[in-house]
Amino acid sequence: MGEQRTQVLVVGGGLGGVAAALAAVEAGAEVVLVGEGPWIGGQLTSQAVPLDEHPWVEQFGVTARYRRLRDGIRGYYRAHYPLTAEARARRHLNPGASRVSALSHEPRVALAVLEAMLAPLRSAGRLEVLLDHVPDAALCDADRVHAVHLRARASGCERVVWADRVLDATETGELLPLCGAEYVTGFESRETTGEPHAPAEAQPLNMQPVTACFAIDHLEGEDHTIDRPAHYGEWKAGRRDGWPEGQLSLLAPDPRSGVPTRRTLTPNPPGDPALIGPDLADPELDRALWLFRRIAARGNFAPGAYGSDITLVNWPQNDYWLGPVFEVPAEQAARDALAARELSLCLLHWLQTEAPRPDGGTGWSGLRLRADVVGDTTDGLAAALYIREARRIQAERTIAEQDIAADIRGTHGALSYTDTVGIGAYRIDLHPSTGGDPYIDIPCCPFQIPLGALLPVRIENLLAAAKNIGTTHITNGAYRLHPVEWNIGEAAGQLAAFSVRTGVPPRAIRSDPLRLAAFQAELSEAGVQLRWPDVRAY
């Protein structure tokens, strides 16, 4: 078994982990970054979810490093893809011209840009990246994590990494139980949080659904129908409140009203990609499913470069809500993870064979699963499940619904924190849950990220660096999106480096006004925006 030492250990290679590693190294620390799979980037890459952002993203409201990521994605297309002259000249190039994102793109492009951002730090010997490694134990003493035991998934080889500061940036907060950290899962009780939408009693296994996303294109006149999945009939016959025609249908609940609403599917619709873009205040944002999460609009590229658009399927119809995929026995978690993937294949088979077409026919047999776009997986789906909700630390500061919800805060805006380490904005967006709850989708004020939400209540050198911060089940619905997870990771990485350099524990930095001010000044210098200008909820 190998052993090594580093100043900062970041476990988890998603957006939060990458941002944390970048920030910590650029602030002077030596870092080891551990990725669970072969791709870094998490929800942006291996989970195949293009950027979900707020309406002001092109002007303000994200960190400088996050803007480097966005600019790098556009630059990669301009450098390597056969864009039309019009698309190439477009300042705010949106390769997919989707309805949900101002920058929709193929996962491999984001992966290439993220790897390029890390490359000089790796070459300089200041950052080591361990891919396809998972944590399976932690060496702890009282209120401190000394080391994390890692295992290579393919070979089974083991190593121990000793570190001064340890960051959990995993998708499910899987380091927390290994370290003995206090944490919560699922829905807290109303008595605990005071939240209007919380239940009377805690429901730890009532979580947001996971989704096995996938990419498709459409080739007219060809037949790419997949085999009928084993449980297709069960999903076709099943009914749930709000789904009068079942989950394999185009009739699905509207997230804001809960009313069953008909969607449409029109592969490769005509239209100028420059005229299609996100209007996040539009309640009909998700009606046209092909355009909703399109990642390659063929009209943006030279004639013949793309035989079809490419769109990502991350729709209400393939949200898997029958059970959580963590915090349950391993066999059960694995069973539900496989079932989530099968649901997506059932949806694809239904689209290919039974979905109603505008011309009165049924099925689009030309829909083709694009495994190559999402990582060359054997089943054709994204390599990793899209995880919306993780274990969450019991934090020095927990963000509750009444801190950010627009119907509570009104014109006052979200609660302001003296220990702010960044900002974010998104609706409080919870999908139908594993406990049977319908959508919760309500307006949210643009908010701050308090440093106290990154700090566990007890362990001194462990930091939350992704979706595992001190939110509730409800506020996680707003804090889980791409730019917020990135900002959380950046703040955690910057804090870890600041703490190592000064020799002051993270908790003592927050509790000392002078040290906190010095740290916040360092964040500002690095391009982290700590407060919003005067903007409104949406």
Side-chain angles (χ1 to χ4, degrees):
M1 184 189 311
E3 294 193 26
Q4 66 187 103
R5 170 166 286 282
T6 188
Q7 291 176 317
V8 177
L9 172 62
V10 181
V11 182
L15 282 180
V18 172
L22 275 169
V25 174
E26 292 178 357
E30 296 177 355
V31 178
V32 172
L33 171 64
V34 180
E36 303 96 324
W39 283 12
I40 58 174
Q43 58 178 322
L44 188 58
T45 59
S46 59
Q47 297 176 28
V49 183
L51 295 168
D52 278 319
E53 300 168 323
H54 55 70
W56 311 281
V57 66
E58 302 293 1
Q59 290 79 41
F60 51 79
V62 296
T63 74
R65 291 186 181 97
Y66 187 81
R67 196 161 297 285
R68 276 173 52 198
L69 168 63
R70 298 180 88 255
D71 291 346
I73 290 170
R74 286 179 168 136
Y76 193 95
Y77 273 96
R78 291 189 174 101
H80 301 290
Y81 278 69
L83 297 167
T84 64
E86 294 80 7
R88 188 178 303 279
R90 207 169 294 137
R91 179 185 175 192
H92 294 151
L93 169 65
N94 189 354
S98 76
R99 294 293 312 280
V100 74
S101 175
L103 182 53
S104 55
H105 52 83
E106 297 175 45
R108 286 186 187 277
V109 175
L111 175 65
V113 174
L114 289 170
E115 288 182 334
M117 293 174 77
L118 295 181
L121 309 180
R122 300 176 71 176
S123 295
R126 297 160 60 195
L127 170 66
E128 181 178 1
V129 179
L130 303 174
L131 297 178
D132 270 321
H133 280 70
V134 293
D136 56 16
L139 177 61
C140 305
D141 180 19
D143 298 335
R144 188 173 184 84
V145 182
H146 294 286
V148 176
H149 185 279
L150 303 171
R151 175 176 46 82
R153 295 204 305 178
S155 68
C157 292
E158 301 174 338
R159 74 168 72 193
V160 175
V161 181
W162 300 77
D164 299 315
R165 303 291 181 266
V166 177
L167 279 58
D168 184 348
T170 60
E171 296 299 322
T172 62
E174 63 187 279
L175 202 56
L176 302 182
L178 299 180
C179 296
E182 292 81 4
Y183 66 90
V184 297
T185 61
F187 237 140
E188 301 91 338
S189 70
R190 190 179 306 120
E191 181 180 359
T192 299
T193 67
E195 296 173 306
H197 283 91
E201 296 183 0
Q203 301 169 6
L205 295 182
N206 187 359
M207 305 181 193
Q208 286 225 52
V210 299
T211 304
C213 303
F214 59 96
I216 52 174
D217 61 9
H218 183 259
L219 302 178
E220 188 67 42
E222 298 187 10
D223 187 350
H224 294 277
T225 305
I226 63 171
D227 293 339
R228 177 180 166 124
H231 295 92
Y232 179 82
E234 297 171 32
W235 282 107
K236 184 72 168 56
R239 297 292 182 267
R240 183 180 179 173
D241 289 347
W243 297 81
E245 297 178 4
Q247 203 157 340
L248 302 186
S249 73
L250 297 179
L251 186 65
D254 177 84
R256 302 185 187 187
S257 69
V259 175
T261 304
R262 187 75 59 183
R263 271 69 168 181
T264 63
L265 181 66
T266 307
N268 294 318
D272 183 354
L275 302 179
I276 300 172
D279 178 2
L280 300 182
D282 183 359
E284 298 186 356
L285 182 73
D286 66 346
R287 297 294 191 270
L289 292 174
W290 188 268
L291 297 178
F292 181 42
R293 292 189 180 275
R294 184 171 59 176
I295 56 172
R298 66 197 187 286
N300 275 329
F301 302 92
Y306 282 74
S308 166
D309 296 345
I310 304 174
T311 195
L312 278 175
V313 179
N314 174 17
W315 305 341
Q317 288 87 343
N318 62 326
D319 281 353
Y320 181 82
W321 40 263
L322 289 184
V325 296
F326 62 91
E327 208 65 12
V328 293
E331 298 81 3
Q332 180 180 342
R335 185 169 60 248
D336 277 306
L338 285 174
R341 302 184 76 84
E342 188 185 23
L343 168 60
S344 286
L345 294 174
C346 289
L347 175 60
L348 174 61
H349 184 76
W350 180 82
L351 291 170
Q352 293 171 324
T353 60
E354 297 191 61
R357 297 197 313 257
D359 64 5
T362 55
W364 284 270
S365 61
L367 291 175
R368 179 175 59 164
L369 195 57
R370 293 295 302 271
D372 56 319
V373 170
V374 296
D376 299 310
T377 55
T378 55
D379 63 4
L381 310 177
L385 294 176
Y386 176 30
I387 303 291
R388 294 179 174 86
E389 180 177 354
R391 299 175 180 90
R392 305 181 300 280
I393 60 169
Q394 288 189 16
E396 287 207 339
R397 173 76 202 201
T398 299
I399 304 153
E401 178 184 358
Q402 54 269 30
D403 298 339
I404 62 172
D407 60 350
I408 298 174
R409 298 295 303 177
T411 58
H412 297 287
L415 192 65
S416 181
Y417 303 105
T418 58
D419 64 340
T420 175
V421 292
I423 59 175
Y426 205 74
R427 290 176 67 85
I428 295 176
D429 173 17
L430 291 91
H431 291 223
S433 71
T434 59
D437 292 311
Y439 279 101
I440 298 175
D441 190 315
I442 55 179
C444 179
C445 302
F447 50 78
Q448 295 174 336
I449 304 166
L451 177 57
L454 279 59
L455 302 177
V457 291
R458 178 179 56 82
I459 300 180
E460 291 294 335
N461 68 328
L462 177 68
L463 298 172
K467 296 186 287 286
N468 55 350
I469 65 169
T471 57
T472 65
H473 172 77
I474 292 173
T475 57
N476 162 262
Y479 277 74
R480 65 184 173 84
L481 278 301
H482 302 70
V484 186
E485 182 186 354
W486 181 279
N487 194 152
I488 290 166
E490 259 200 70
Q494 195 90 24
L495 178 62
F498 185 91
S499 176
V500 168
R501 187 172 67 248
T502 60
V504 179
R507 200 180 319 279
I509 294 170
R510 177 178 184 254
S511 63
D512 184 317
L514 292 179
R515 288 172 175 150
L516 176 61
F519 173 61
Q520 289 173 319
E522 192 170 289
L523 283 173
S524 295
E525 180 66 23
V528 177
Q529 191 173 342
L530 302 182
R531 292 169 181 82
W532 279 100
D534 185 18
V535 291
R536 294 290 182 263
Y538 73 95

